[in-house]
Amino acid sequence: MISIPLSKQLTISADDLLQQHLLILGATGSGKSTSAMTILHGLMSANQTTMIIDPTGEYQHLPNAVIAKLGYNAYIDYEQLTGDDFNLLFGVTDVDMQEKLVDALTSLKIQKNIIGQPGIYKKINRPWQDFEEDIKRLYHYPQPVDISLLPEQLRQEYAIPVDDFDLIGQEIDEIGFKKCLPLIRRIKRLINQPRFQHLFHMPITDETSAAVTEMQTDVMYLLRLFASHKSDHKILVIDCSIFTDNLELGKVLVSLLTTALLREKQQLKHSVLVTVLIDEAHRYLMADHLETTGIFRIAREGRKLGLFLMVTTQSPLDLAPQLLGQFGHYLVHQLNTASELAQLPVLQEYAQQIVHENIGQALLAGNNFVTPQLLNIQMVAEMNHQTATPKFF
């Protein structure tokens, strides 16, 4: 049995602590990250696979960490993204436009891999029968498409027939296409950014952009590797700080990665138990379409796949009720307001205790703990991370 020493007084089994998703709560500086590191150290020592989705780059100095810094020594292979992933990436919420974007990606794959020619796949005056034959042949597409052609290809997806319905189209529905103009501007703005190009391993258009390391690894490969093998006492840290100044894109990136991890676990015939830490998750939780985001899907579907979630955030008010309800265990550091405590009815009688906790103290509660326990969390010195408050003197 794997044991995790949370304090000098309490050592707990990983099964008891983590087979329900764990939420670590507390105001800034109360010790949330220290608690997370203590737990991860116990898992790492026992050779249990652990991953950190690190949106700010705070965990790159952890011992025994495999650091995948997106846009520097690691990238996301956009060919492995699904249509839903692309819709999330480009912020497409309109259902018709979502279908058009997916169709445009498929068309570009046909043009590159079946037609074998550069440029877009023209649908004007193309017979439906020819298109259906091309689709049947598109079972494997090793050549990556040029996603800079998406705006031009999107226009072809609005091809409509006039008097010959054996053809996909004879003219462009310009009124329908005009609805895509905000999306096209978004696509062009993103794919022309050097850091976006680094992130997705695209050809770099700006020669003055910061250099990346020559040796780069597909982060999807790393997710698959860590999800299917013992980790040799290492922690996988996926550093997403490439977009730390853009919270909206940061949210998208975290959702893409967590969705990809869930997808890998679903597809693997043989896998290992994986614990995933998402630190300071309040920055990266998506309020819109919550149920389709990666964090929520892992919270809801992950346990049956051996995927356990550990989330830190400053307040239970940061989480939508349907997400908060997915957590069975809590490690609660100091909270300061009645409205925060009201979100945790099971802990109401311990409210005064929580309000007056010292730094590093936490109340452990949840389904496997009949009586909540107040702990002085044990700090593991070697688990160094850059979350300490700077000192004036």
Side-chain angles (χ1 to χ4, degrees):
M1 179 180 290
I2 298 168
S3 297
I4 299 173
L6 284 179
S7 71
K8 292 182 179 179
Q9 296 80 27
L10 178 67
T11 294
I12 190 169
S13 76
D15 284 336
D16 286 342
L17 183 63
L18 294 170
Q19 284 205 348
Q20 298 280 326
H21 297 308
L22 175 65
L23 181 61
I24 303 176
L25 294 160
T28 301
S30 62
K32 299 186 302 297
S33 295
T34 297
S35 292
M37 290 297 96
T38 298
I39 295 168
L40 288 180
H41 181 265
L43 293 171
M44 181 184 70
S45 298
N47 201 25
Q48 293 297 297
T49 300
T50 57
M51 302 180 186
I52 301 175
I53 306 293
D54 179 12
T56 59
E58 294 174 348
Y59 293 92
Q60 57 183 302
H61 302 296
L62 287 181
N64 293 342
V66 174
I67 307 296
K69 186 172 183 178
L70 291 171
Y72 181 71
N73 69 341
Y75 65 93
I76 295 174
D77 181 1
Y78 63 83
E79 282 293 311
Q80 297 188 49
L81 298 181
T82 66
D84 287 341
D85 292 336
F86 271 100
N87 282 315
L88 176 64
L89 181 62
F90 293 126
V92 187
T93 56
D94 178 82
V95 174
D96 179 63
M97 212 172 297
Q98 287 178 339
E99 292 178 354
K100 296 295 186 187
L101 182 60
V102 172
D103 289 344
L105 287 164
T106 300
S107 295
L108 289 176
K109 290 173 181 177
I110 292 173
Q111 181 68 16
K112 183 73 173 181
N113 295 283
I114 305 303
I115 307 301
Q117 297 291 329
I120 63 171
Y121 183 78
K122 293 183 179 179
K123 291 192 169 180
I124 292 291
N125 296 323
R126 185 179 295 275
W128 272 109
Q129 184 175 352
D130 290 357
F131 172 65
E132 289 167 357
E133 288 299 320
D134 289 339
I135 284 286
K136 289 178 183 177
R137 295 169 61 197
L138 191 66
Y139 61 92
H140 181 57
Y141 33 90
Q143 296 298 316
V145 303
D146 181 356
I147 61 174
S148 69
L149 295 174
L150 271 174
E152 190 179 354
Q153 185 64 55
L154 270 168
R155 191 168 187 274
Q156 289 294 310
E157 303 309 320
Y158 283 87
I160 54 174
V162 176
D163 55 18
D164 187 347
F165 292 91
D166 288 330
L167 299 176
I168 296 175
Q170 294 165 281
E171 63 182 38
I172 298 298
D173 174 11
E174 298 291 354
I175 293 175
F177 176 64
K178 283 181 179 179
K179 296 178 183 177
C180 277
L181 293 180
L183 168 61
I184 287 172
R185 284 193 288 269
R186 234 176 2 255
I187 292 173
K188 287 186 172 182
R189 186 176 66 249
L190 282 174
I191 64 178
N192 286 325
Q193 292 181 18
R195 60 179 173 174
F196 191 89
Q197 295 162 4
H198 287 312
L199 173 62
F200 290 102
H201 212 229
M202 298 168 59
I204 306 301
T205 58
D206 182 359
E207 294 180 359
T208 65
S209 64
V212 298
T213 59
E214 291 184 4
M215 181 65 71
Q216 296 184 68
T217 303
D218 175 15
V219 76
M220 301 299 188
Y221 165 77
L222 290 176
L223 290 177
R224 192 177 308 119
L225 184 67
F226 271 76
S228 57
H229 297 85
K230 288 286 187 179
S231 59
D232 194 25
H233 301 279
K234 297 185 184 301
I235 295 175
L236 175 61
V237 178
I238 302 177
D239 181 341
C240 308
S241 58
I242 187 172
F243 284 116
T244 192
D245 62 333
N246 188 325
L247 282 181
E248 289 308 309
L249 277 175
K251 291 177 182 181
V252 168
L253 197 51
V254 170
S255 188
L256 283 177
L257 289 168
T258 47
T259 299
L261 175 58
L262 183 66
R263 192 159 56 230
E264 291 293 345
K265 290 288 285 183
Q266 290 169 332
Q267 294 172 354
L268 285 170
K269 293 182 179 179
H270 304 287
S271 64
V272 297
L273 300 182
V274 177
T275 299
V276 182
L277 168 64
I278 302 175
D279 195 31
E280 301 292 349
H282 53 275
R283 301 177 186 174
Y284 302 100
L285 294 170
M286 303 179 74
D288 297 331
H289 309 287
L290 174 67
E291 294 190 358
T292 61
T293 61
I295 295 176
F296 184 83
R297 291 190 60 200
I298 287 181
R300 187 174 58 183
E301 306 169 33
R303 284 173 51 203
K304 62 187 177 185
L305 299 170
L307 193 55
F308 303 103
L309 193 59
M310 182 161 54
V311 165
T312 80
T313 191
Q314 293 183 8
S315 168
L317 295 171
D318 296 329
L319 276 64
Q322 59 266 47
L323 178 56
L324 185 62
Q326 298 295 326
F327 291 90
H329 291 155
Y330 309 96
L331 197 56
V332 187
H333 291 262
Q334 186 183 45
L335 297 174
N336 297 320
T337 68
S339 59
E340 291 174 310
L341 292 165
Q343 298 297 109
L344 303 169
V346 69
L347 298 179
Q348 286 303 296
E349 63 182 285
Y350 300 91
Q352 287 302 311
Q353 201 170 11
I354 293 171
V355 168
H356 293 101
E357 284 177 355
N358 296 318
I359 295 174
Q361 286 188 323
L363 194 71
L364 177 63
N367 297 338
N368 285 350
F369 311 103
V370 176
T371 303
Q373 301 183 56
L374 183 64
L375 307 174
N376 290 298
I377 300 297
Q378 180 170 291
M379 180 180 291
V380 181
E382 66 189 81
M383 298 295 281
N384 178 43
H385 57 293
Q386 301 176 352
T387 60
T389 304
K391 297 183 182 300
F392 288 101
F393 301 101

